[in-house]
Amino acid sequence: MKSGSSTRVEKVDIPLITLLVITSAVTIIVLTDRYDPINLPKLYLLSLGSIFLALYFSLKRVKFDLGRFKLILFSLVAFIATQLASVINGGEIYKGIIGLYGRNLGLLTYLSFALIMMLAAMRTSIGNIQSALYVIFTLGIFESAYGLLQHFGLDPINWRNPYSPIIGTFGNPNYMSAFLGITSIVSLYFFTKSERLFLRFVALLQIIVAVWLIQSSSSSQGLLAIFVGMGLYTLSLIDKNKIARISGIALFFTGLILGIIGILNKGPFSFVYQSSISARGDYWRSAVSMFKSNPVLGVGLERFGDYFGTNRDLQQVTLRGYGTFADNAHNTFLQFISTGGLLLFLTYVVLISIIARYAIKIFHRNNDRFKSRATVSTWVGALTISLLSPENIGFTIWSWVLGGLIIGLYKNEKNSPVVEKSGYKSKIIKEHFSTLRFTTVGVLLLLLFPLTFFVFNSHKSDSDIFIAYGLARSQQTTLTQVSEFIEDSVKTSPHEEKYLALAGNLYRSIQEYEKGVLKGIELEELNPNSQDALRIQAYGYEKLNQLSKAINARVKLTEIDPLGLGNLSDLVLDYGLNKD
């Protein structure tokens, strides 16, 4: 049978399939009976799932040659260690570990990503990579089908969504678009290399539907992923003809340059322009400013929003408006260098560089090369998205999984990643692995208890604040009942800033101004850089006619957001009313 054929019979690797199924579940899971139905459920499953997988791999006695993976293991440890240093330096321990509410890109998320990457690397080889491609292909079909339901108004979930209705299970059309883009790259592999006519037809149909949904969602990220990933894979199909290869490379880079110019609303590809994309420059300049002020360890993991006000410039306010706010640099590299400093940036660059080196190596191998090239092309497409968008658990997890697949393809050259040994050396290694597994299981179990406690409390808090807002909107209950749910939410998760902000705003909306001010004060004590805390206090004091306190809150707000013209305007009014 021809090399690269997708019909080759492969041995099913149960540990790898288990990992891919859990990863797919992280992308798919949503829980609608809560304030955040998207990101928190994904964080729960990601963190618990990664520990389960590590325990499963350990108890299944999956062999792992530490020496073979030493470089990538050290780079991952360095990456996580510098994140931890940034968390401690930033001062916001809870936010640094759990992440900013609504994104949840803290230390816990990246630790889970790193664990899943290593586990994927342990099991992946050219003999089982096909199963991984099938899973990504199937997930792409699922999201495409769900996207069609959303486009035609048949979504079984009634989302409160200000964006395009095509959000998939990501909660945002940009990530849905990006995911459809990278899964289309895998579909192109099956369309070009499968010998089964039906599979080729399904793959072609998925590509057509995906491109149509991407266009309908008015999100350009998916088109960028398709162009880069598909372009790279297509170049691999013509590598036997030198003239065709050179022409293809020239066409690819010409199109790439025109595409980038088009994203900026210039040139013949300006149809891919998206206003939110062009605003990235404002966020990037703010990120550079944060890095300059905190070059070594950054402002603190997930604290971009806390320092955006003091680091944005007049150009941003003039062109985009003073009300514009960003809690992320919208570029993973700039996000890391601004919030984690040069140390985190360098460890991430080293990690990506190692994977890129492995990707280049396997791209030129001859054994089932198209499977490897499809994997590499999909990873490159996913990585491209990180240059323009914040990371997202449901989408970004596949960048890390694909990275693990590439590592495994490079390190596990034979069809089986298991390395068998015999004799006296084998006995020593087995004893070493027994000790290592025992230690690993113990550490994982210790982590499982506080993580389970967090998941339970977070789930309860999110449900309580969701119920409180629902009761307030319905106006069919007493203020006492609403207040009980608000207080329960804050009490159960006292370190989550979002619940204090939501509580303060909800109290203000039901005219419980004194209680709202108290929540604003609690939030300021938790995070002195919180703009929400000071706004909640200022609004509450103004309603209570305590203008001196309102002025004090607004003066503090000018210190952390000096270009906030709305606040400055309200401050002038307060001074006038207070006759100052």
Side-chain angles (χ1 to χ4, degrees), residues 220-454:
S220 57
Q221 278 90 332
L223 294 177
L224 181 62
I226 284 177
F227 183 84
V228 173
M230 280 192 176
L232 185 60
Y233 178 74
T234 302
L235 287 177
S236 74
L237 299 178
I238 56 176
D239 63 351
K240 291 182 180 180
N241 188 310
K242 186 176 181 180
I243 296 177
R245 184 169 69 249
I246 294 173
S247 301
I249 292 173
L251 182 62
F252 172 75
F253 283 104
T254 300
L256 180 61
I257 293 170
L258 290 175
I260 293 173
I261 294 173
I263 287 174
L264 300 175
N265 201 22
K266 306 288 184 181
F269 289 176
S270 59
F271 64 88
V272 301
Y273 169 76
Q274 190 179 341
S275 59
S276 62
I277 291 290
S278 63
R280 268 45 172 180
D282 299 329
Y283 311 147
W284 296 347
R285 292 193 306 276
S286 297
V288 172
S289 176
M290 289 181 206
F291 165 65
K292 289 179 179 179
S293 62
N294 300 272
V296 180
L297 291 173
V299 298
L301 207 63
E302 285 284 78
R303 299 204 66 188
F304 187 92
D306 292 337
Y307 291 90
F308 178 73
T310 53
N311 287 277
R312 62 176 175 169
D313 54 28
L314 191 59
Q315 180 182 345
Q316 182 271 318
V317 174
T318 303
L319 296 179
R320 304 290 169 191
Y322 62 83
T324 301
F325 177 79
D327 56 28
N328 192 283
H330 291 68
N331 176 294
T332 302
F333 294 90
L334 289 176
Q335 175 73 5
F336 284 151
I337 202 170
S338 61
T339 61
L342 189 61
L343 291 179
L344 180 58
F345 172 78
L346 289 177
T347 56
Y348 185 66
V349 169
V350 168
L351 177 62
I352 295 300
S353 299
I354 293 171
I355 299 173
R357 176 176 172 269
Y358 294 166
I360 293 170
K361 293 284 187 180
I362 66 172
F363 203 83
H364 296 290
R365 284 181 180 169
N366 290 323
N367 53 331
D368 284 331
R369 61 188 181 279
F370 293 111
K371 295 177 185 178
S372 300
R373 291 176 180 182
T375 305
V376 170
S377 299
T378 307
W379 177 72
V380 171
L383 189 65
T384 303
I385 299 302
S386 69
L387 301 177
L388 293 173
S389 296
E391 304 216 296
N392 170 276
I393 292 177
F395 174 81
T396 304
I397 189 173
W398 289 103
S399 295
W400 288 75
V401 169
L402 287 162
L405 299 179
I406 290 170
I407 296 166
L409 285 171
Y410 177 75
K411 292 294 184 179
N412 303 317
E413 294 189 40
K414 297 180 179 180
N415 279 358
S416 172
V418 178
V419 179
E420 300 290 347
K421 297 183 181 292
S422 58
Y424 175 70
K425 190 175 181 180
S426 173
K427 182 178 179 181
I428 295 176
I429 290 174
K430 286 181 180 178
E431 290 174 354
H432 169 71
F433 272 114
S434 295
T435 304
L436 182 62
R437 285 197 182 96
F438 179 79
T439 304
T440 301
V441 169
V443 171
L444 291 172
L445 289 175
L446 286 175
L447 290 174
L448 190 60
F449 289 110
L451 183 57
T452 304
F453 181 76
F454 155 72

Side-chain angles (χ1 to χ4, degrees), residues 70-86:
K70 183 167 58 178
L71 181 61
I72 198 72
L73 188 59
F74 284 165
S75 66
L76 283 172
V77 170
F79 174 70
I80 296 300
T82 51
Q83 281 206 330
L84 179 59
S86 176

Side-chain angles (χ1 to χ4, degrees), residues 2-8 189 193-194 368-371:
K2 293 180 180 180
S3 176
S5 170
S6 65
T7 58
R8 171 177 290 192
Y189 159 72
K193 291 300 168 183
S194 176
D368 284 331
R369 61 188 181 279
F370 293 111
K371 295 177 185 178

Side-chain angles (χ1 to χ4, degrees), residues 36-292:
D36 179 3
I38 303 290
N39 288 289
L40 275 177
K42 295 184 191 306
L43 176 64
Y44 301 156
L45 186 55
L46 170 67
S47 54
L48 291 174
S50 63
I51 289 183
F52 165 78
L53 286 169
L55 285 170
Y56 173 70
F57 274 52
S58 297
L59 296 174
K60 284 285 288 183
R61 298 181 177 275
V62 175
K63 292 181 174 61
F64 182 34
D65 187 344
L66 286 173
R68 195 155 28 126
F69 293 89
K70 183 167 58 178
L71 181 61
I72 198 72
L73 188 59
F74 284 165
S75 66
L76 283 172
V77 170
F79 174 70
I80 296 300
T82 51
Q83 281 206 330
L84 179 59
S86 176
V87 170
I88 296 171
N89 179 68
E92 290 278 326
I93 305 300
Y94 180 89
K95 183 188 287 186
I97 294 175
I98 303 304
L100 180 72
Y101 187 92
R103 294 198 187 277
N104 298 110
L105 298 172
L107 177 64
L108 177 61
T109 294
Y110 285 102
L111 181 60
S112 301
F113 284 163
L115 194 54
I116 287 175
M117 173 185 277
M118 281 309 304
L119 296 175
M122 289 166 58
R123 295 308 302 173
T124 304
S125 70
I126 199 65
N128 58 29
I129 188 62
Q130 184 88 344
S131 60
L133 295 175
Y134 268 123
V135 169
I136 297 172
F137 176 57
T138 304
L139 194 56
I141 293 173
F142 171 83
E143 292 290 348
S144 296
Y146 187 34
L148 286 173
L149 291 178
Q150 292 176 327
H151 178 76
F152 290 109
L154 301 175
D155 193 336
I157 301 175
N158 184 26
W159 299 107
R160 286 186 288 115
N161 166 36
Y163 310 109
S164 159
I166 307 172
I167 60 174
T169 58
F170 303 91
N172 186 302
N174 288 337
Y175 300 118
M176 174 62 163
S177 168
F179 189 76
L180 291 176
I182 66 168
T183 54
S184 295
I185 303 167
V186 178
S187 294
L188 180 62
Y189 159 72
F190 283 108
F191 174 70
T192 56
K193 291 300 168 183
S194 176
E195 294 184 352
R196 295 163 57 188
L197 184 60
F198 176 74
L199 188 59
R200 295 178 69 178
F201 170 76
V202 173
L204 178 61
L205 183 62
Q206 194 276 330
I207 294 172
I208 294 171
V209 171
V211 171
W212 182 69
L213 288 173
I214 290 169
Q215 284 287 86
S216 300
S217 69
S218 300
S219 174
S220 57
Q221 278 90 332
L223 294 177
L224 181 62
I226 284 177
F227 183 84
V228 173
M230 280 192 176
L232 185 60
Y233 178 74
T234 302
L235 287 177
S236 74
L237 299 178
I238 56 176
D239 63 351
K240 291 182 180 180
N241 188 310
K242 186 176 181 180
I243 296 177
R245 184 169 69 249
I246 294 173
S247 301
I249 292 173
L251 182 62
F252 172 75
F253 283 104
T254 300
L256 180 61
I257 293 170
L258 290 175
I260 293 173
I261 294 173
I263 287 174
L264 300 175
N265 201 22
K266 306 288 184 181
F269 289 176
S270 59
F271 64 88
V272 301
Y273 169 76
Q274 190 179 341
S275 59
S276 62
I277 291 290
S278 63
R280 268 45 172 180
D282 299 329
Y283 311 147
W284 296 347
R285 292 193 306 276
S286 297
V288 172
S289 176
M290 289 181 206
F291 165 65
K292 289 179 179 179

